[in-house]
Amino acid sequence: MPTVRFNKGVFEHYAGKKLPLEQLKDRISFLGTDLEGIEDEVITVEVFPNRPDLLSVQGFARAFSSFIGHKTGLREYRAMPSRERVIIEKAVSSVRPYTSCAIVKGIRYDDEKIREIIDIQEKLHITYGRNRRKVAIGIYPFEKIQTPIRFTAKRPEDIVFRPLEGSRRMNAREILEKHPTGQQYGHLLAGQKTFPVFLDANDQVLSVPPIINSHEVGKITPETTDVFVECSGFDYGLQHTCLNMIVTAMADMGGKVYSMELAYPDKTIVSPDFSPQEIVIDLPYINKRLGLSLTEKEFEKLLGRMGFGFKGKKALVPCYRADILHQIDIGEDIAIAHGYENFEEIIPKVATVAREAPIEAFKGKLAELLVGLGMQEVSTYHLSNEDHQNTRMNASFHLVKLANAISQEYPVLRAWLLPGMMDVLGRNTSYEYPQRIFQMGAVFSKDAKEETGVGEARKLAVAVSHERADYTEIRQAVEYLLRSLGLADWKVAEHDHPSFIAGRCAAISVGKQHLAFMGELSPLVLKSWGLEMPAVAAEMDVAALFSLVFQGKR
């Protein structure tokens, strides 16, 4: 969990209330964060990853102020129209397609405020932005920029500017090779023929996200009063929420927020949007989950202590909260506001003897065998997208789509595990080889026989990548697993699978029971994931294996 340190005096200024030291410690601990201590006027807190809005002193103080009842309810923020535009060109759609932007005016950036801004930016980069992979943040002195601003993509050799704290002008390719920040984050643009770039109306480079700002127009100084703020990445929702976290913190510093028109090739968006998300509340559901009997009035009061609004049986979620996806998340905040120390401790009236589920013990055995082969277990999301599941894998699975996807990056349930494995390999090309990984998890398919219309199956996937990886290696690994489980008489037959090289792919079965497919991944698939090394993989049906091993169906 990220650790943040706040000056106690600054924190109390933004919170609007000063508490006795022991009470301050107690209340911070019950806010849902882990207080490490308060020493020498410095508050040190561990913030859970689901609350990136608490990473700034302004955001933490805002939440704390509501929690202690000083200033409750939904904070209202307003963005005044600036009539300024950011033009997002089609060229950037393949490298970093989305940005959300704003202008904040009227802050005098002394050393303390510059430190606060840098701290917000870096903490969000590391956590919410996943080390700039999902979100990259740029903050620039607006007085040095001529509008309209363009967000486009160009050949790295054609992007020439002086990088932040650099000694000379360089092209973007040189920056990745020679500048410390370029070396640190250059892998995020590896393999790209064009790089994303922000340009002003005079073609002056503002930055190359997610790498670095320009020294001339990307450095905040004590003379700066107005700033241009942008977040860029691959999902507009993430950029929009991250921008709201930053500019609401700046508004709490005393800044005035101005909106901008984002002119995409197919639409125009006004950013930022401070409108709260609305979630319909089923109060009996919340009460049942928490073991409480809250009235609607009591519920509304507790909501207010967590910074929410309430209108027409709907919770109004602040624009900077990234963690509220379902009303169960509202329930968690209600529990915090009610106070975990106030819940009655009740001993269950059910006596049971616990034991590990046989299928879980079997999965543990599988993991133990694969670790013995020198493999490392990984875990990827149940949610995915069409590009990962089908396009990059040259496959055509019928995917289960989410009715109300929160993120454009994850609108479907995964149909198989191998795309997630390829994503892991693709993100680790800068590390040493061989790379041997496996994972077990659920996959989903449309199934009219199920009440939900969605079937769920347990699968095991194995992937190996290095310069000599071949069909023989993956077959040996799979057959070792089968022998170790006591199986025999399996059959290996040539199998046609679009993700694998023809003639280098096989299926394994015992009797009429299909168990697995395996083979060498095709060059087309390897290229789509940015892999230069050969890779082999297999995907196995865990339920079928379990059935054969423990029920004697051989």
Side-chain angles (χ1 to χ4, degrees):
M1 295 186 295
T3 299
V4 293
R5 293 175 176 83
F6 304 133
N7 178 284
K8 182 170 174 286
V10 173
F11 169 78
E12 289 171 339
H13 165 73
Y14 286 119
K17 189 172 184 179
K18 186 174 182 178
L19 298 180
L21 183 60
E22 292 306 313
Q23 186 181 0
L24 177 63
K25 290 180 178 179
D26 177 75
R27 292 297 82 195
I28 289 177
S29 296
F30 280 102
L31 178 57
T33 54
D34 187 6
L35 176 66
E36 290 193 355
I38 302 177
E39 295 180 4
D40 299 326
E41 294 297 300
V42 175
I43 301 172
T44 303
V45 182
E46 276 191 325
V47 175
F48 289 102
N50 67 322
R51 290 298 304 271
D53 58 296
L54 301 183
L55 294 173
S56 68
V57 63
Q58 295 80 14
F60 197 93
R62 181 197 306 133
F64 185 80
S65 179
S66 294
F67 181 61
I68 62 175
H70 178 63
K71 190 174 182 180
T72 61
L74 183 71
R75 298 287 180 97
E76 294 187 5
Y77 294 92
R78 181 169 176 261
M80 295 171 283
S82 69
R83 299 182 181 177
E84 303 288 4
R85 302 179 77 221
V86 178
I87 302 167
I88 298 91
E89 298 185 353
K90 191 174 181 180
V92 81
S93 62
S94 61
V95 289
R96 204 168 187 88
Y98 295 105
T99 184
S100 187
C101 309
I103 297 167
V104 182
K105 297 182 178 182
I107 299 177
R108 177 63 66 183
Y109 290 93
D110 56 21
D111 290 343
E112 173 62 26
K113 283 192 169 58
I114 290 175
R115 188 197 63 76
E116 290 175 13
I117 290 296
I118 292 173
D119 199 46
I120 295 171
Q121 186 176 9
E122 287 309 308
K123 286 290 194 298
L124 287 173
H125 268 155
I126 293 167
T127 56
Y128 191 68
R130 301 291 179 89
N131 286 317
R132 307 191 187 187
R133 181 177 288 112
K134 292 190 174 182
V135 179
I137 304 162
I139 303 175
Y140 317 81
F142 186 61
E143 63 269 16
K144 295 184 179 180
I145 298 171
Q146 294 296 318
T147 56
I149 296 165
R150 289 191 298 137
F151 186 39
T152 187
K154 301 177 73 173
R155 293 176 62 252
E157 291 77 14
D158 296 334
I159 304 172
V160 181
F161 66 105
R162 181 186 171 192
L164 191 63
E165 305 302 339
S167 59
R168 63 181 180 86
R169 288 169 63 83
M170 309 164 72
N171 68 46
R173 184 76 69 190
E174 287 181 287
I175 291 171
L176 263 59
E177 294 171 354
K178 299 178 181 179
H179 193 281
T181 305
Q183 293 169 345
Q184 183 177 0
Y185 295 104
H187 65 279
L188 297 176
L189 294 178
Q192 298 290 352
K193 294 181 180 178
T194 59
F195 288 4
V197 59
F198 280 95
L199 302 169
D200 75 355
N202 295 332
D203 278 342
Q204 186 175 218
V205 174
L206 307 186
S207 72
V208 173
I211 309 301
I212 198 165
N213 284 13
S214 161
H215 190 83
E216 281 84 6
V217 292
K219 184 176 182 179
I220 305 299
T221 68
E223 288 72 41
T224 303
T225 57
D226 304 341
V227 296
F228 165 62
V229 186
E230 53 82 7
C231 298
S232 67
F234 301 92
D235 183 294
Y236 183 78
L238 292 177
Q239 315 316 312
H240 159 257
T241 304
C242 187
L243 182 75
N244 285 345
M245 293 182 209
I246 298 167
V247 298
T248 53
M250 289 182 166
D252 290 344
M253 290 181 189
K256 294 182 179 179
V257 182
Y258 290 81
S259 63
M260 304 184 77
E261 291 185 1
L262 309 182
Y264 283 89
D266 58 342
K267 59 187 174 182
T268 298
I269 300 172
V270 176
S271 168
D273 180 1
F274 293 143
S275 303
Q277 176 191 0
E278 296 183 353
I279 293 185
V280 177
I281 296 300
D282 180 356
L283 187 53
Y285 170 85
I286 299 292
N287 278 327
K288 182 179 179 181
R289 291 292 178 270
L290 298 181
L292 299 175
S293 300
L294 299 173
T295 65
E296 188 171 292
K297 188 174 182 180
E298 291 170 333
F299 177 79
E300 182 177 358
K301 183 178 180 180
L302 293 178
L303 268 184
R305 287 186 56 197
M306 297 306 291
F308 294 90
F310 188 66
K311 183 179 181 181
K313 299 188 183 300
K314 293 180 181 179
L316 305 181
V317 182
C319 62
Y320 45 79
R321 289 290 295 267
D323 60 316
I324 307 298
L325 306 179
H326 183 272
Q327 65 171 332
I328 195 63
D329 300 313
I330 301 287
E332 181 184 4
D333 271 28
I334 292 297
I336 293 171
H338 176 74
Y340 285 112
E341 72 276 21
N342 296 321
F343 280 93
E344 183 181 357
E345 298 177 358
I346 301 174
I347 298 176
K349 295 180 180 180
V350 178
T352 62
V353 177
R355 68 182 179 92
E356 188 176 18
I359 186 65
E360 296 303 320
F362 180 66
K363 288 163 62 179
K365 177 65 174 177
L366 292 175
E368 183 181 326
L369 291 169
L370 291 169
V371 169
L373 290 178
M375 295 191 178
Q376 183 174 355
E377 187 170 10
V378 300
S379 180
T380 60
Y381 298 131
H382 285 184
L383 298 180
S384 187
N385 55 63
E386 177 79 27
D387 179 54
H388 282 197
Q389 291 287 300
N390 283 330
T391 307
R392 294 197 194 189
M393 299 300 296
N394 195 31
S396 55
F397 283 93
H398 296 292
L399 304 175
V400 178
K401 297 181 180 180
L402 303 186
N404 297 292
I406 299 297
S407 167
Q408 297 176 19
E409 192 173 359
Y410 302 110
V412 303
L413 291 169
R414 66 185 180 190
W416 55 324
L417 297 180
L418 283 188
M421 304 285 279
M422 297 304 294
D423 188 35
V424 171
L425 293 176
R427 293 175 184 272
N428 288 276
T429 54
S430 59
Y431 295 95
E432 68 177 312
Y433 288 85
Q435 295 180 6
R436 296 184 173 92
I437 58 175
F438 74 94
Q439 80 163 317
M440 282 176 277
V443 299
F444 307 88
S445 61
K446 295 180 180 179
D447 188 346
K449 296 179 182 178
E450 297 291 336
E451 182 181 354
T452 60
V454 178
E456 182 176 337
R458 293 184 178 94
K459 299 286 184 175
L460 162 65
V462 176
V464 178
S465 180
H466 58 87
E467 61 182 354
R468 295 184 180 179
D470 61 10
Y471 169 80
T472 301
E473 181 175 4
I474 193 64
R475 177 169 174 173
Q476 287 174 339
V478 172
E479 291 188 334
Y480 163 79
L481 204 59
L482 299 179
R483 281 194 302 272
S484 299
L485 294 171
L487 296 177
D489 301 326
W490 60 80
K491 293 182 180 179
V492 180
E494 187 172 338
H495 183 61
D496 184 25
H497 193 293
S499 299
F500 295 86
I501 298 173
R504 306 295 292 172
C505 179
I508 291 185
S509 60
V510 174
K512 295 182 179 180
Q513 181 69 66
H514 171 77
L515 292 182
F517 60 85
M518 59 189 176
E520 296 179 15
L521 289 154
S522 75
L524 181 66
V525 170
L526 297 178
K527 183 179 180 181
S528 71
W529 292 101
L531 294 176
E532 297 180 357
M533 292 285 185
V536 293
E539 186 153 319
M540 309 180 72
D541 188 327
V542 173
L545 280 173
F546 178 75
S547 175
L548 289 169
V549 171
F550 287 95
Q551 298 180 27
K553 296 179 180 180
R554 302 190 179 186

